[in-house]
PDB file of all heavy atoms in Angstrom:
ATOM      1  N   ASP A  41       1.276  33.020   0.298  1.00  0.00           N
ATOM      2  CA  ASP A  41       1.887  32.343  -0.849  1.00  0.00           C
ATOM      3  C   ASP A  41       1.309  33.002  -2.085  1.00  0.00           C
ATOM      4  O   ASP A  41       0.174  32.739  -2.470  1.00  0.00           O
ATOM      5  CB  ASP A  41       1.565  30.839  -0.804  1.00  0.00           C
ATOM      6  CG  ASP A  41       2.002  30.109  -2.075  1.00  0.00           C
ATOM      7  OD1 ASP A  41       2.706  30.713  -2.909  1.00  0.00           O
ATOM      8  OD2 ASP A  41       1.629  28.928  -2.224  1.00  0.00           O
ATOM      9  N   GLY A  43       1.062  32.948  -5.467  1.00  0.00           N
ATOM     10  CA  GLY A  43       1.352  32.004  -6.537  1.00  0.00           C
ATOM     11  C   GLY A  43       1.083  32.547  -7.923  1.00  0.00           C
ATOM     12  O   GLY A  43       0.441  33.583  -8.087  1.00  0.00           O
ATOM     13  N   THR A  44       1.582  31.845  -8.912  1.00  0.00           N
ATOM     14  CA  THR A  44       1.320  32.209 -10.293  1.00  0.00           C
ATOM     15  C   THR A  44      -0.161  32.080 -10.589  1.00  0.00           C
ATOM     16  O   THR A  44      -0.766  32.912 -11.254  1.00  0.00           O
ATOM     17  CB  THR A  44       2.054  31.246 -11.249  1.00  0.00           C
ATOM     18  OG1 THR A  44       3.359  31.042 -10.770  1.00  0.00           O
ATOM     19  CG2 THR A  44       2.088  31.799 -12.656  1.00  0.00           C
ATOM     20  N   THR A  45      -0.725  31.001 -10.076  1.00  0.00           N
ATOM     21  CA  THR A  45      -2.100  30.661 -10.364  1.00  0.00           C
ATOM     22  C   THR A  45      -3.009  31.046  -9.213  1.00  0.00           C
ATOM     23  O   THR A  45      -4.047  31.669  -9.409  1.00  0.00           O
ATOM     24  CB  THR A  45      -2.208  29.135 -10.595  1.00  0.00           C
ATOM     25  OG1 THR A  45      -1.067  28.706 -11.316  1.00  0.00           O
ATOM     26  CG2 THR A  45      -3.456  28.806 -11.363  1.00  0.00           C
ATOM     27  N   ASN A  46      -2.593  30.659  -8.006  1.00  0.00           N
ATOM     28  CA  ASN A  46      -3.423  30.888  -6.827  1.00  0.00           C
ATOM     29  C   ASN A  46      -2.611  31.495  -5.712  1.00  0.00           C
ATOM     30  O   ASN A  46      -1.427  31.201  -5.570  1.00  0.00           O
ATOM     31  CB  ASN A  46      -3.986  29.559  -6.323  1.00  0.00           C
ATOM     32  CG  ASN A  46      -4.870  28.903  -7.363  1.00  0.00           C
ATOM     33  OD1 ASN A  46      -5.850  29.480  -7.798  1.00  0.00           O
ATOM     34  ND2 ASN A  46      -4.498  27.710  -7.764  1.00  0.00           N
ATOM     35  N   LYS A 103       3.030  36.493 -12.001  1.00  0.00           N
ATOM     36  CA  LYS A 103       4.249  36.042 -11.332  1.00  0.00           C
ATOM     37  C   LYS A 103       5.305  35.578 -12.342  1.00  0.00           C
ATOM     38  O   LYS A 103       6.492  35.605 -12.070  1.00  0.00           O
ATOM     39  CB  LYS A 103       3.900  34.915 -10.379  1.00  0.00           C
ATOM     40  CG  LYS A 103       5.004  34.509  -9.442  1.00  0.00           C
ATOM     41  CD  LYS A 103       4.474  33.451  -8.513  1.00  0.00           C
ATOM     42  CE  LYS A 103       5.505  32.964  -7.543  1.00  0.00           C
ATOM     43  NZ  LYS A 103       4.935  31.902  -6.691  1.00  0.00           N
ATOM     44  N   GLU A 204       9.875  29.522  -1.163  1.00  0.00           N
ATOM     45  CA  GLU A 204       8.754  28.598  -1.004  1.00  0.00           C
ATOM     46  C   GLU A 204       9.150  27.242  -0.404  1.00  0.00           C
ATOM     47  O   GLU A 204       8.468  26.757   0.505  1.00  0.00           O
ATOM     48  CB  GLU A 204       8.022  28.434  -2.338  1.00  0.00           C
ATOM     49  CG  GLU A 204       7.248  29.704  -2.702  1.00  0.00           C
ATOM     50  CD  GLU A 204       6.831  29.791  -4.159  1.00  0.00           C
ATOM     51  OE1 GLU A 204       6.965  28.791  -4.884  1.00  0.00           O
ATOM     52  OE2 GLU A 204       6.391  30.874  -4.573  1.00  0.00           O
ATOM     53  N   ASP A 226       8.450  21.033  -5.815  1.00  0.00           N
ATOM     54  CA  ASP A 226       7.344  21.990  -5.964  1.00  0.00           C
ATOM     55  C   ASP A 226       6.994  22.161  -7.439  1.00  0.00           C
ATOM     56  O   ASP A 226       7.719  22.793  -8.202  1.00  0.00           O
ATOM     57  CB  ASP A 226       7.752  23.335  -5.343  1.00  0.00           C
ATOM     58  CG  ASP A 226       6.659  24.397  -5.481  1.00  0.00           C
ATOM     59  OD1 ASP A 226       5.637  24.138  -6.165  1.00  0.00           O
ATOM     60  OD2 ASP A 226       6.823  25.486  -4.918  1.00  0.00           O
ATOM     61  N   GLY A 228       4.088  23.685  -9.463  1.00  0.00           N
ATOM     62  CA  GLY A 228       2.895  24.519  -9.341  1.00  0.00           C
ATOM     63  C   GLY A 228       2.264  24.784 -10.696  1.00  0.00           C
ATOM     64  O   GLY A 228       2.259  23.930 -11.580  1.00  0.00           O
ATOM     65  N   GLY A 229       1.733  25.996 -10.850  1.00  0.00           N
ATOM     66  CA  GLY A 229       1.091  26.360 -12.098  1.00  0.00           C
ATOM     67  C   GLY A 229       2.107  26.823 -13.132  1.00  0.00           C
ATOM     68  O   GLY A 229       2.005  26.495 -14.312  1.00  0.00           O
ATOM     69  N   GLY A 230       3.083  27.618 -12.683  1.00  0.00           N
ATOM     70  CA  GLY A 230       3.998  28.220 -13.644  1.00  0.00           C
ATOM     71  C   GLY A 230       5.453  27.875 -13.432  1.00  0.00           C
ATOM     72  O   GLY A 230       6.286  28.129 -14.303  1.00  0.00           O
ATOM     73  N   THR A 231       5.792  27.329 -12.279  1.00  0.00           N
ATOM     74  CA  THR A 231       7.204  27.121 -11.992  1.00  0.00           C
ATOM     75  C   THR A 231       7.444  25.760 -11.365  1.00  0.00           C
ATOM     76  O   THR A 231       6.564  25.200 -10.726  1.00  0.00           O
ATOM     77  CB  THR A 231       7.724  28.183 -10.997  1.00  0.00           C
ATOM     78  OG1 THR A 231       6.893  28.173  -9.849  1.00  0.00           O
ATOM     79  CG2 THR A 231       7.733  29.553 -11.610  1.00  0.00           C
ATOM     80  N   GLY A 257       2.065  23.397 -14.346  1.00  0.00           N
ATOM     81  CA  GLY A 257       0.785  22.831 -14.772  1.00  0.00           C
ATOM     82  C   GLY A 257       0.221  23.543 -16.006  1.00  0.00           C
ATOM     83  O   GLY A 257      -0.455  22.932 -16.830  1.00  0.00           O
ATOM     84  N   ASP A 258       0.542  24.835 -16.130  1.00  0.00           N
ATOM     85  CA  ASP A 258       0.081  25.586 -17.310  1.00  0.00           C
ATOM     86  C   ASP A 258       0.559  24.927 -18.603  1.00  0.00           C
ATOM     87  O   ASP A 258      -0.151  24.942 -19.615  1.00  0.00           O
ATOM     88  CB  ASP A 258       0.651  27.012 -17.296  1.00  0.00           C
ATOM     89  CG  ASP A 258       0.094  27.859 -16.164  1.00  0.00           C
ATOM     90  OD1 ASP A 258      -0.805  27.370 -15.457  1.00  0.00           O
ATOM     91  OD2 ASP A 258       0.565  28.997 -15.999  1.00  0.00           O
ATOM     92  N   ASP A 261      -1.673  22.172 -19.401  1.00  0.00           N
ATOM     93  CA  ASP A 261      -2.928  22.729 -19.949  1.00  0.00           C
ATOM     94  C   ASP A 261      -2.741  23.097 -21.416  1.00  0.00           C
ATOM     95  O   ASP A 261      -3.606  22.839 -22.252  1.00  0.00           O
ATOM     96  CB  ASP A 261      -3.355  23.987 -19.184  1.00  0.00           C
ATOM     97  CG  ASP A 261      -3.606  23.718 -17.707  1.00  0.00           C
ATOM     98  OD1 ASP A 261      -3.659  22.534 -17.323  1.00  0.00           O
ATOM     99  OD2 ASP A 261      -3.751  24.698 -16.952  1.00  0.00           O
ATOM    100  N   GLU A 295      -7.755  22.787 -18.505  1.00  0.00           N
ATOM    101  CA  GLU A 295      -7.370  22.624 -17.102  1.00  0.00           C
ATOM    102  C   GLU A 295      -8.418  21.816 -16.348  1.00  0.00           C
ATOM    103  O   GLU A 295      -8.091  20.966 -15.517  1.00  0.00           O
ATOM    104  CB  GLU A 295      -7.172  23.984 -16.430  1.00  0.00           C
ATOM    105  CG  GLU A 295      -6.616  23.787 -15.027  1.00  0.00           C
ATOM    106  CD  GLU A 295      -6.579  25.047 -14.167  1.00  0.00           C
ATOM    107  OE1 GLU A 295      -7.035  26.109 -14.636  1.00  0.00           O
ATOM    108  OE2 GLU A 295      -6.104  24.949 -13.035  1.00  0.00           O
ATOM    109  N   LYS A 298      -7.890  18.225 -16.981  1.00  0.00           N
ATOM    110  CA  LYS A 298      -6.709  17.738 -16.266  1.00  0.00           C
ATOM    111  C   LYS A 298      -7.033  17.477 -14.797  1.00  0.00           C
ATOM    112  O   LYS A 298      -6.667  16.429 -14.249  1.00  0.00           O
ATOM    113  CB  LYS A 298      -5.593  18.783 -16.377  1.00  0.00           C
ATOM    114  CG  LYS A 298      -4.342  18.422 -15.620  1.00  0.00           C
ATOM    115  CD  LYS A 298      -3.324  19.565 -15.638  1.00  0.00           C
ATOM    116  CE  LYS A 298      -3.730  20.690 -14.704  1.00  0.00           C
ATOM    117  NZ  LYS A 298      -2.719  21.760 -14.646  1.00  0.00           N
ATOM    118  N   ILE A 299      -7.732  18.416 -14.183  1.00  0.00           N
ATOM    119  CA  ILE A 299      -8.029  18.267 -12.751  1.00  0.00           C
ATOM    120  C   ILE A 299      -8.994  17.105 -12.517  1.00  0.00           C
ATOM    121  O   ILE A 299      -8.829  16.329 -11.571  1.00  0.00           O
ATOM    122  CB  ILE A 299      -8.545  19.609 -12.192  1.00  0.00           C
ATOM    123  CG1 ILE A 299      -7.373  20.598 -12.147  1.00  0.00           C
ATOM    124  CG2 ILE A 299      -9.163  19.431 -10.807  1.00  0.00           C
ATOM    125  CD1 ILE A 299      -7.750  22.009 -11.788  1.00  0.00           C
ATOM    126  N   THR A 302      -7.423  13.675 -12.218  1.00  0.00           N
ATOM    127  CA  THR A 302      -6.695  13.289 -11.011  1.00  0.00           C
ATOM    128  C   THR A 302      -7.506  12.246 -10.244  1.00  0.00           C
ATOM    129  O   THR A 302      -6.968  11.341  -9.630  1.00  0.00           O
ATOM    130  CB  THR A 302      -6.431  14.540 -10.147  1.00  0.00           C
ATOM    131  OG1 THR A 302      -5.446  15.305 -10.807  1.00  0.00           O
ATOM    132  CG2 THR A 302      -5.940  14.195  -8.764  1.00  0.00           C
ATOM    133  N   GLY A 370       2.585  22.280  -4.396  1.00  0.00           N
ATOM    134  CA  GLY A 370       2.055  22.746  -5.670  1.00  0.00           C
ATOM    135  C   GLY A 370       0.926  21.871  -6.181  1.00  0.00           C
ATOM    136  O   GLY A 370       0.949  20.646  -6.042  1.00  0.00           O
ATOM    137  N   GLY A 371      -0.057  22.521  -6.772  1.00  0.00           N
ATOM    138  CA  GLY A 371      -1.260  21.831  -7.242  1.00  0.00           C
ATOM    139  C   GLY A 371      -0.968  20.705  -8.222  1.00  0.00           C
ATOM    140  O   GLY A 371      -1.664  19.683  -8.226  1.00  0.00           O
ATOM    141  N   SER A 372       0.075  20.870  -9.037  1.00  0.00           N
ATOM    142  CA  SER A 372       0.340  19.851 -10.051  1.00  0.00           C
ATOM    143  C   SER A 372       0.823  18.534  -9.448  1.00  0.00           C
ATOM    144  O   SER A 372       0.796  17.508 -10.118  1.00  0.00           O
ATOM    145  CB  SER A 372       1.349  20.361 -11.077  1.00  0.00           C
ATOM    146  OG  SER A 372       0.811  21.485 -11.738  1.00  0.00           O
ATOM    147  N   ARG A 374      -0.679  16.959  -7.344  1.00  0.00           N
ATOM    148  CA  ARG A 374      -1.843  16.108  -7.071  1.00  0.00           C
ATOM    149  C   ARG A 374      -2.026  15.064  -8.162  1.00  0.00           C
ATOM    150  O   ARG A 374      -2.749  14.100  -7.987  1.00  0.00           O
ATOM    151  CB  ARG A 374      -3.110  16.954  -7.026  1.00  0.00           C
ATOM    152  CG  ARG A 374      -3.189  17.824  -5.802  1.00  0.00           C
ATOM    153  CD  ARG A 374      -4.296  18.821  -5.997  1.00  0.00           C
ATOM    154  NE  ARG A 374      -4.455  19.650  -4.824  1.00  0.00           N
ATOM    155  CZ  ARG A 374      -5.358  19.419  -3.883  1.00  0.00           C
ATOM    156  NH1 ARG A 374      -6.185  18.411  -3.996  1.00  0.00           N
ATOM    157  NH2 ARG A 374      -5.443  20.215  -2.854  1.00  0.00           N
ATOM    158  N   MET A 375      -1.410  15.281  -9.314  1.00  0.00           N
ATOM    159  CA  MET A 375      -1.574  14.320 -10.408  1.00  0.00           C
ATOM    160  C   MET A 375      -0.962  12.978 -10.026  1.00  0.00           C
ATOM    161  O   MET A 375       0.192  12.926  -9.590  1.00  0.00           O
ATOM    162  CB  MET A 375      -0.892  14.838 -11.680  1.00  0.00           C
ATOM    163  CG  MET A 375      -1.545  16.066 -12.259  1.00  0.00           C
ATOM    164  SD  MET A 375      -0.700  16.609 -13.749  1.00  0.00           S
ATOM    165  CE  MET A 375      -1.183  15.322 -14.865  1.00  0.00           C
ATOM    166  N   ASP A 397      -1.213  22.527  -2.144  1.00  0.00           N
ATOM    167  CA  ASP A 397      -1.307  23.935  -2.538  1.00  0.00           C
ATOM    168  C   ASP A 397      -1.471  24.878  -1.347  1.00  0.00           C
ATOM    169  O   ASP A 397      -1.545  26.080  -1.531  1.00  0.00           O
ATOM    170  CB  ASP A 397      -2.314  24.224  -3.671  1.00  0.00           C
ATOM    171  CG  ASP A 397      -3.445  23.247  -3.765  1.00  0.00           C
ATOM    172  OD1 ASP A 397      -3.819  22.710  -2.714  1.00  0.00           O
ATOM    173  OD2 ASP A 397      -3.941  23.019  -4.876  1.00  0.00           O
ATOM    174  N   ARG A 434     -13.184  22.408  -7.279  1.00  0.00           N
ATOM    175  CA  ARG A 434     -13.286  23.650  -8.020  1.00  0.00           C
ATOM    176  C   ARG A 434     -14.610  23.673  -8.754  1.00  0.00           C
ATOM    177  O   ARG A 434     -15.020  22.668  -9.305  1.00  0.00           O
ATOM    178  CB  ARG A 434     -12.160  23.761  -9.037  1.00  0.00           C
ATOM    179  CG  ARG A 434     -10.888  24.152  -8.399  1.00  0.00           C
ATOM    180  CD  ARG A 434      -9.753  23.798  -9.294  1.00  0.00           C
ATOM    181  NE  ARG A 434      -8.523  23.872  -8.519  1.00  0.00           N
ATOM    182  CZ  ARG A 434      -7.538  24.693  -8.826  1.00  0.00           C
ATOM    183  NH1 ARG A 434      -7.611  25.456  -9.877  1.00  0.00           N
ATOM    184  NH2 ARG A 434      -6.473  24.740  -8.089  1.00  0.00           N
TER     185      ARG A 434
HETATM  186  N1  ATP C   9      -6.233  18.090  -8.830  1.00  0.00           N
HETATM  187  C1  ATP C   9      -5.332  18.591  -9.661  1.00  0.00           C
HETATM  188  N2  ATP C   9      -4.759  17.825 -10.605  1.00  0.00           N
HETATM  189  C2  ATP C   9      -3.858  18.311 -11.455  1.00  0.00           C
HETATM  190  N3  ATP C   9      -3.442  19.589 -11.436  1.00  0.00           N
HETATM  191  C3  ATP C   9      -3.985  20.396 -10.517  1.00  0.00           C
HETATM  192  C4  ATP C   9      -4.934  19.951  -9.580  1.00  0.00           C
HETATM  193  N4  ATP C   9      -5.267  20.991  -8.784  1.00  0.00           N
HETATM  194  C5  ATP C   9      -4.544  22.037  -9.212  1.00  0.00           C
HETATM  195  N5  ATP C   9      -3.784  21.690 -10.261  1.00  0.00           N
HETATM  196  C6  ATP C   9      -2.860  22.526 -11.023  1.00  0.00           C
HETATM  197  O1  ATP C   9      -1.961  23.109 -10.134  1.00  0.00           O
HETATM  198  C7  ATP C   9      -1.532  24.356 -10.680  1.00  0.00           C
HETATM  199  C8  ATP C   9      -1.640  25.406  -9.634  1.00  0.00           C
HETATM  200  O2  ATP C   9      -0.863  25.002  -8.570  1.00  0.00           O
HETATM  201  P1  ATP C   9      -0.526  26.001  -7.405  1.00  0.00           P
HETATM  202  O3  ATP C   9      -1.761  26.661  -6.922  1.00  0.00           O
HETATM  203  O4  ATP C   9       0.294  25.274  -6.442  1.00  0.00           O
HETATM  204  O5  ATP C   9       0.362  26.974  -8.261  1.00  0.00           O
HETATM  205  P2  ATP C   9       0.982  28.331  -7.871  1.00  0.00           P
HETATM  206  O6  ATP C   9       1.619  28.211  -6.550  1.00  0.00           O
HETATM  207  O7  ATP C   9      -0.009  29.387  -8.091  1.00  0.00           O
HETATM  208  O8  ATP C   9       2.071  28.444  -8.973  1.00  0.00           O
HETATM  209  P3  ATP C   9       3.620  28.584  -8.844  1.00  0.00           P
HETATM  210  O9  ATP C   9       4.071  27.657  -7.766  1.00  0.00           O
HETATM  211  O10 ATP C   9       4.117  28.206 -10.181  1.00  0.00           O
HETATM  212  O11 ATP C   9       3.862  29.982  -8.508  1.00  0.00           O
HETATM  213  C9  ATP C   9      -2.405  24.647 -11.864  1.00  0.00           C
HETATM  214  O12 ATP C   9      -1.689  24.358 -13.039  1.00  0.00           O
HETATM  215  C10 ATP C   9      -3.547  23.684 -11.681  1.00  0.00           C
HETATM  216  O13 ATP C   9      -4.097  23.310 -12.912  1.00  0.00           O
END
Side-chain angles (χ1 to χ4, degrees):
Chain A
D41 172 9
T44 316
T45 321
N46 298 302
K103 190 176 179 182
E204 289 163 10
D226 179 353
T231 54
D258 293 355
D261 300 349
E295 187 189 3
K298 177 186 75 176
I299 289 173
T302 288
S372 298
R374 289 168 178 263
M375 293 180 71
D397 27 30
R434 282 161 194 241

